[in-house]
Amino acid sequence: MTMAESKTAVYSAPPKRGLIISLALLLGLIAAILFNTKFVKIGSTDDVRKKVFSKAEFGAAQFPKVQTYILEHAVDAKILGAAIAADKDAAGKKYGVATTTGPVLAVTLTGIAGEVKSGIYSLAVDGLPEGTAVRVQTGPAVNGTDLRDSTGAIVFGQFTNQIEYQDAGSALNNEMKQQVLVPLDTTQLTTKKITVTGVFKLINPKNWLITPVKLAVE
């Protein structure tokens, strides 16, 4: 064999050993990945998609519970008004559910709907302390977290973050609109006698802004 033929033989020899080592390392890496990978069956309890917060599902599931609680704990407006006038703090503790911005109170009343502004009607209610202004939200926009905070059973720790906690409040408002307000013509309530059961946050004792869970027009 000439020197040229010898060099050709050396360079053309396949690197079998290196290929085998590379394949072994690759197989080892694949095995390690598979060992540390958890396979989740769709629809199982480990399916993270089921844990993503859904406003629609939350509202549909929780509003009936919130509504039932409010209907069961609602206090007649005359009794509540007198208690607030006598001692706001004591009334909040006796009849309300505490929040960081004031207690949420459940109330039931009948009154005459007056002026409407941005979907909020003023109500003339007999038997309340002089100067007490009562208003009720009828949409299309329903604001606040009074429904969410009304029972004390829905708390921040149940949610992933503040955004979800806020979404829980709007989810309940949206579900309330669908179940309580949409079936009614809330654009033509002025001068009509209505009965409302709902909640309001006791911040100003002379100003009640009620979020309803039941509304009937006579």
Side-chain angles (χ1 to χ4, degrees):
M1 179 182 293
T2 65
M3 184 175 295
E5 291 173 335
S6 177
K7 289 181 178 181
T8 299
V10 170
Y11 289 118
S12 62
K16 292 183 178 179
R17 184 178 179 186
L19 180 60
I20 292 172
I21 293 174
S22 297
L23 288 173
L25 291 173
L26 180 59
L27 290 173
L29 178 61
I30 293 172
I33 292 173
L34 291 174
F35 180 78
N36 289 284
T37 299
K38 181 178 181 179
F39 295 92
V40 176
K41 181 180 178 181
I42 294 176
S44 70
T45 55
D46 292 321
D47 187 350
V48 296
R49 299 177 308 164
K50 297 183 67 175
K51 300 176 184 178
V52 175
F53 180 77
S54 166
K55 289 177 64 173
E57 291 179 4
F58 180 87
Q62 297 301 319
F63 176 70
K65 300 176 185 178
V66 170
Q67 184 183 46
T68 298
Y69 178 93
I70 293 171
L71 293 175
E72 291 177 349
H73 290 80
V75 180
D76 182 88
K78 295 176 184 178
I79 296 174
L80 195 57
I84 292 173
D87 190 328
K88 172 189 170 184
D89 293 336
K93 290 178 181 178
K94 181 176 182 179
Y95 296 112
V97 173
T99 75
T100 55
T101 55
V104 177
L105 286 71
V107 64
T108 187
L109 54 84
T110 298
I112 304 299
E115 179 185 1
V116 61
K117 187 174 181 180
S118 300
I120 299 175
Y121 282 90
S122 61
L123 292 178
V125 182
D126 292 333
L128 294 183
E130 185 177 356
T132 302
V134 179
R135 297 175 297 153
V136 59
Q137 299 195 80
T138 63
V142 175
N143 299 311
T145 58
D146 293 356
L147 293 183
R148 183 197 69 188
D149 301 335
S150 63
T151 68
I154 301 173
V155 297
F156 176 72
Q158 298 171 344
F159 302 89
T160 302
N161 51 46
Q162 184 65 34
I163 294 175
E164 281 191 6
Y165 192 42
Q166 288 297 119
D167 285 346
S170 62
L172 289 169
N173 292 347
N174 290 339
E175 189 65 25
M176 181 278 290
K177 285 193 296 183
Q178 291 301 314
Q179 294 194 29
V180 177
L181 300 178
V182 169
L184 304 173
D185 181 4
T186 58
T187 65
Q188 304 293 328
L189 297 181
T190 300
T191 72
K192 293 184 179 179
K193 188 176 183 180
I194 64 175
T195 298
V196 180
T197 302
V199 289
F200 69 95
K201 190 161 289 183
L202 183 57
I203 299 174
N204 182 345
K206 295 289 189 178
N207 191 352
W208 303 3
L209 177 59
I210 299 172
T211 302
V213 295
K214 186 177 181 180
L215 194 154
V217 182
E218 294 186 17

